[in-house]
Amino acid sequence: MSTVHYNWKRFWCPRNGFFKLSDNGFLYDPESEFSKYYNSDVFSFENISLKPCLVLLGEPGIGKSTTLEQEFHALNVRQKCFYKNLGEYGDESRLINEVFKSTEIEEWLNSDYVLNLFLDSLDECKIKVEQVGLIFKNQFEKIKSKLNRLHLRIACRTADFPSILDNCLPNLWGKDNFGVYEMVPLRRKDVEHAAGVNSIESKH
């Protein structure tokens, strides 16, 4: 059975920000005329991507992984990118070897270009590699002098993001270069679009 990919534009809100849901739990459209009065804390990925270090949070199944993959493929056309699904790893050595000692990272370390590093499903990795937060901290500290050329995007379930990374990432990249955002629910028109694609009548 093929998977349907919807052309949804997803939005993000700072972890301590505010967003408004309109009727029936849909997100009040951030692109509407009066959005500045309702959802001034809600941004597209294009807007938040200006920060070199991003933590992308959300509830299970909300669409973090799909959006992260889409952003990776879109950016990979014009910039150097490296994507890893951390849910594949249950062994510390393999994690370090295939991410931090990978060919992609080694080449970047010996170059002068900017690398966009996309790391998905940190929460799944944490189940099997309990010290993944500490591992990341130690590995990033080893290359601290190069981090001005590394744009990091980590996706994780909201409740499972390691607190050690909450403290070390803004120190390593700089507070102004660091952001934590949560994916917000869909807009009404997004759900109506999906219904139309699947030939389901939507009710206004």
Side-chain angles (χ1 to χ4, degrees):
M1 184 180 235
S2 61
T3 302
V4 179
H5 293 285
Y6 304 107
N7 190 28
W8 287 330
K9 183 174 183 178
R10 301 306 303 266
F11 295 89
W12 305 82
C13 180
R15 184 166 45 182
N16 298 321
F18 171 82
F19 63 90
K20 181 179 177 61
L21 301 180
S22 59
D23 61 311
N24 297 318
F26 294 109
L27 178 70
Y28 191 93
D29 192 348
E31 295 182 323
S32 67
E33 181 181 357
F34 301 106
S35 63
K36 63 182 178 181
Y37 301 111
Y38 294 98
N39 278 327
S40 60
D41 289 340
V42 176
F43 305 96
S44 67
F45 188 84
E46 182 181 6
N47 291 133
I48 66 175
S49 66
L50 299 175
K51 288 189 177 292
C53 184
L54 283 177
V55 174
L56 305 170
L57 304 177
E59 297 306 311
I62 196 172
K64 300 182 302 298
S65 294
T66 299
T67 301
L68 196 70
E69 286 186 41
Q70 290 174 342
E71 297 299 340
F72 163 74
H73 289 300
L75 191 62
N76 196 37
V77 174
R78 59 185 188 277
Q79 295 184 28
K80 289 281 189 177
C81 297
F82 182 34
Y83 174 94
K84 278 293 181 183
N85 184 344
L86 301 176
E88 301 175 3
Y89 298 101
D91 176 80
E92 177 179 334
S93 297
R94 182 171 165 241
L95 173 65
I96 293 174
N97 287 333
E98 295 190 14
V99 177
F100 294 98
K101 294 185 179 180
S102 63
T103 300
E104 288 84 353
I105 293 296
E106 291 294 335
E107 289 180 351
W108 165 74
L109 286 171
N110 294 303
S111 72
D112 58 2
Y113 58 79
V114 172
L115 178 67
N116 299 277
L117 176 60
F118 291 78
L119 300 177
D120 191 19
S121 303
L122 178 62
D123 50 286
E124 294 181 24
C125 182
K126 187 182 175 185
I127 295 172
K128 295 168 283 188
V129 185
E130 293 182 4
Q131 297 299 317
V132 64
L134 180 60
I135 292 169
F136 276 26
K137 175 181 181 293
N138 291 338
Q139 293 299 317
F140 285 130
E141 285 180 342
K142 289 180 181 178
I143 57 174
K144 183 176 181 178
S145 64
K146 307 284 187 178
L147 294 182
N148 63 316
R149 293 192 292 107
L150 185 66
H151 289 182
L152 177 67
R153 283 84 180 87
I154 300 181
C156 184
R157 292 182 182 180
T158 302
D160 296 319
F161 188 67
S163 58
I164 191 171
L165 294 182
D166 249 334
N167 296 321
C168 80
L169 294 181
N171 289 331
L172 289 169
W173 267 267
K175 291 183 179 180
D176 292 339
N177 296 322
F178 172 75
V180 182
Y181 295 85
E182 292 193 57
M183 177 175 275
V184 297
L186 293 166
R187 299 170 292 180
R188 175 181 287 276
K189 70 179 185 180
D190 296 322
V191 178
E192 290 175 346
H193 167 73
V197 170
N198 290 282
S199 300
I200 300 172
E201 183 179 353
S202 61
K203 295 182 180 180
H204 295 273

